[in-house]
Amino acid sequence: MRRRTPDRSFGNSGSLLGLGLGWALLLSLTALTVNAQNTPAPDTETDRVQAMISQAKKDAEQFSKAGGKPGDANNPNLKWSATLWQYREKHPGTPATVIATIEALRLLNRADRLSELREKADALKPDDAAWKQVFYVLMSAASKSKDYSYLISKAEALAQAATDRDIKAQARFNIGDAYWRTKDNDRARKAFQAVVTEYPGTKYAEEAEGNLREIEFLNLGQPAPEFARTTLKGEPISLAGFKGKVLVLKFWGTY
């Protein structure tokens, strides 16, 4: 009697199906593992600092609504500035610390404690990542007090001592900006030109070039720069065509 041999083409189909499901499961597990590895872990410290900043804002709003003044000794901005600075000292070198540092100095500025603000700014090392935002705080403080001497001296020191190219470029730019705000256009021009020459390709160089053009051509009492354009109707128009007339230029843009 002939023995019937099982049809292996059908007999293996179940095995192949099982193998396919096994590979699919394995690939799914691998994908989940890869995704878990690539998903950044929650930055609990940054969240912690942001929570402190949010509470500081709420306390400051309540203080202001109650009639509190920036220079009052019980200004909550002082308490939260001290708290954030303590966080900085306990957690050096982290992204959360950079945020805490910047906000601690900003709160001192809001409380009109400029001497304390400068003292703490002096404690920052030349290449501290916080400098990229601290410059804005110092400029705000200088504008408020109408005294740019500290900002200029600090920026000069950082332009020499820092090794971070962005910090050096930003320092030079702030020197030019400070001189420009005090109407010392000659020193402002030199500082902006230094940014363009020494740090080409940076956003500070691009902005410095624009400021140089404004200093050169758009000061009060200077003739407006000539221009010629075509109107929306296709008609030619130029500034020379308005000579002897009062002309108001309205600048606008879309973003």
Side-chain angles (χ1 to χ4, degrees):
M1 181 182 293
R2 293 180 60 186
R3 298 178 59 187
R4 297 185 63 181
T5 303
D7 189 339
R8 297 186 181 278
S9 63
F10 289 95
N12 287 342
S13 63
S15 299
L16 290 173
L17 179 60
L19 182 61
L21 290 173
W23 275 109
L25 179 59
L26 178 60
L27 290 173
S28 297
L29 290 173
T30 302
L32 288 172
T33 302
V34 171
N35 289 335
Q37 291 175 344
N38 292 336
T39 302
D43 189 345
T44 56
E45 287 302 310
T46 296
D47 291 343
R48 179 184 171 191
V49 169
Q50 292 291 4
M52 286 191 283
I53 293 173
S54 295
Q55 188 59 52
K57 182 178 180 181
K58 292 178 182 177
D59 290 351
E61 289 175 350
Q62 292 177 357
F63 174 74
S64 180
K65 288 179 180 178
K69 304 299 181 183
D72 292 349
N74 62 336
N75 188 332
N77 285 333
L78 296 175
K79 179 194 74 173
W80 283 109
S81 176
T83 300
L84 289 164
W85 196 261
Q86 287 174 0
Y87 180 93
R88 167 191 166 79
E89 294 176 339
K90 292 179 180 179
H91 305 82
T94 69
T97 298
V98 172
I99 298 172
T101 302
I102 296 163
E103 191 63 22
L105 297 179
R106 185 178 287 118
L107 293 177
L108 284 176
N109 183 36
R110 290 175 182 170
D112 290 342
R113 297 297 181 94
L114 299 187
S115 60
E116 293 180 41
L117 166 60
R118 293 168 182 172
E119 180 182 345
K120 283 182 166 50
D122 285 338
L124 301 180
K125 293 182 179 180
D127 288 308
D128 193 309
W131 273 116
K132 296 175 184 180
Q133 294 295 322
V134 170
F135 277 120
Y136 297 113
V137 180
L138 295 183
M139 182 61 76
S140 173
S143 299
K144 185 190 296 187
S145 65
K146 306 301 181 184
D147 182 1
Y148 294 87
S149 57
Y150 174 80
L151 172 63
I152 292 172
S153 64
K154 178 55 66 175
E156 288 280 10
L158 287 170
Q160 297 295 327
T163 59
D164 186 296
R165 189 167 183 262
D166 282 345
I167 293 177
K168 293 172 76 71
Q170 192 176 4
R172 289 290 184 199
F173 182 87
N174 273 269
I175 293 168
D177 197 9
Y179 280 130
W180 194 13
R181 293 180 185 224
T182 59
K183 304 186 184 306
D184 191 339
N185 287 350
D186 288 339
R187 288 183 176 179
R189 187 183 294 108
K190 290 179 182 177
F192 286 139
Q193 188 58 57
V195 176
V196 173
T197 303
E198 297 173 20
Y199 306 101
T202 65
K203 63 179 181 180
Y204 304 108
E206 182 179 355
E207 192 166 350
E209 286 180 341
N211 290 348
L212 284 169
R213 285 193 292 271
E214 187 168 342
I215 291 173
E216 193 67 27
F217 299 112
L218 298 178
N219 282 312
L220 290 175
Q222 289 180 319
E226 291 290 341
F227 70 86
R229 292 291 185 271
T230 301
T231 68
L232 294 176
K233 296 181 179 180
E235 300 172 350
I237 186 174
S238 68
L239 185 62
F242 295 93
K243 188 174 182 179
K245 300 178 181 179
V246 176
L247 185 64
V248 177
L249 298 180
K250 182 178 181 180
F251 295 90
W252 61 274
T254 57
Y255 303 92

